[in-house]
């Protein structure tokens, strides 16, 4: 099975002399906090699997990480979330095509979508809540195509 996947960098922020891609926001102390991911477009075949990986810079002790999906002209739709306590929230019980997890230090969030369908095509956003502030990733556009 041939996997077709294309990743494009959509934005680059310069942070303390290094280069990071993602969304930079500052906390109440003015410290930049970044959700970094590949960003851009992912092209996948129906039935295949894709994975997003997000690095959380200066976002220790976050409360919840939430994945949203949006089609053009529609409101964002909540897909799945991971609480800092490890609890997984799903709006539709039994829909296990989406998996969300994090590494031990909770600095990386991983999202996997298996058995891709044409209805999965759209833009995906990770939102990380810390206290009363929401931090957003850039959108990742998933395009579903046959060869």
């Amino acid at each position: 099975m041939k996997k077709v996947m294309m990743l494009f960098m959509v934005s680059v922020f310069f942070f303390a002399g290094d280069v990071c891609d993602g969304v930079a926001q500052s906390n109440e102390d003015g410290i930049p906090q970044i959700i970094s991911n590949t960003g851009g477009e992912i092209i996948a075949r129906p039935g295949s699997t894709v994975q997003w990986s997000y690095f959380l810079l200066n976002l220790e002790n976050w409360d919840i990480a939430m994945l949203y999906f949006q089609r053009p002209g529609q409101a964002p739709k909540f897909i799945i979330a991971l609480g800092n306590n490890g609890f997984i929230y799903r709006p539709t019980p039994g829909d296990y095509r989406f998996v969300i997890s994090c590494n031990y230090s909770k600095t990386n969030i991983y999202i996997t979508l298996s058995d891709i369908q044409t209805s999965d095509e759209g833009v995906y956003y990770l939102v990380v809540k810390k206290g009363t502030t929401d931090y957003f990733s850039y959108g990742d556009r998933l395009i579903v195509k046959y060869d």
Side-chain angles (χ1 to χ4, degrees):
M1 173 192 229
K2 185 169 90 174
K3 292 183 180 178
V4 179
M5 190 176 291
M6 296 171 52
L7 302 175
F8 297 98
M9 300 299 242
V10 292
S11 183
V12 176
F13 284 92
F14 293 90
F15 173 72
D18 292 322
V19 177
C20 295
D21 60 321
V23 177
Q25 295 168 302
S26 296
N27 67 9
E28 58 276 357
D29 297 323
I31 298 172
Q33 297 177 306
I34 297 175
I35 299 176
S36 176
N37 66 329
T38 54
E41 289 184 346
I42 298 172
I43 300 174
R45 291 178 53 178
S48 65
T49 298
V50 295
Q51 183 177 49
W52 290 274
S53 179
Y54 299 89
F55 176 69
L56 309 179
L57 179 64
N58 295 325
L59 277 173
E60 299 83 10
N61 302 314
W62 47 269
D63 299 314
I64 190 167
M66 304 166 285
L67 181 68
Y68 284 86
F69 167 72
Q70 188 173 24
R71 289 193 182 107
Q74 296 183 5
K77 176 184 172 186
F78 170 68
I79 301 294
I80 193 169
L82 175 67
N84 194 303
N85 59 1
F87 189 80
I88 295 175
Y89 305 87
R90 296 177 192 275
T92 308
D95 184 3
Y96 293 98
R97 294 184 315 118
F98 285 92
V99 176
I100 188 168
S101 61
C102 65
N103 62 342
Y104 180 75
S105 62
K106 299 181 182 174
T107 56
N108 291 298
I109 303 285
Y110 308 105
I111 297 172
T112 303
L113 170 57
S114 58
D115 190 23
I116 291 175
Q117 302 167 6
T118 54
S119 60
D120 296 323
E121 190 165 282
V123 179
Y124 292 82
Y125 300 91
L126 182 72
V127 180
V128 176
K129 185 171 202 61
K130 182 178 178 183
T132 59
T133 305
D134 294 335
Y135 298 91
F136 295 81
S137 71
Y138 277 108
D140 293 297
R141 183 170 179 221
L142 176 62
I143 300 170
V144 182
K145 286 187 175 180
Y146 293 93
D147 284 338

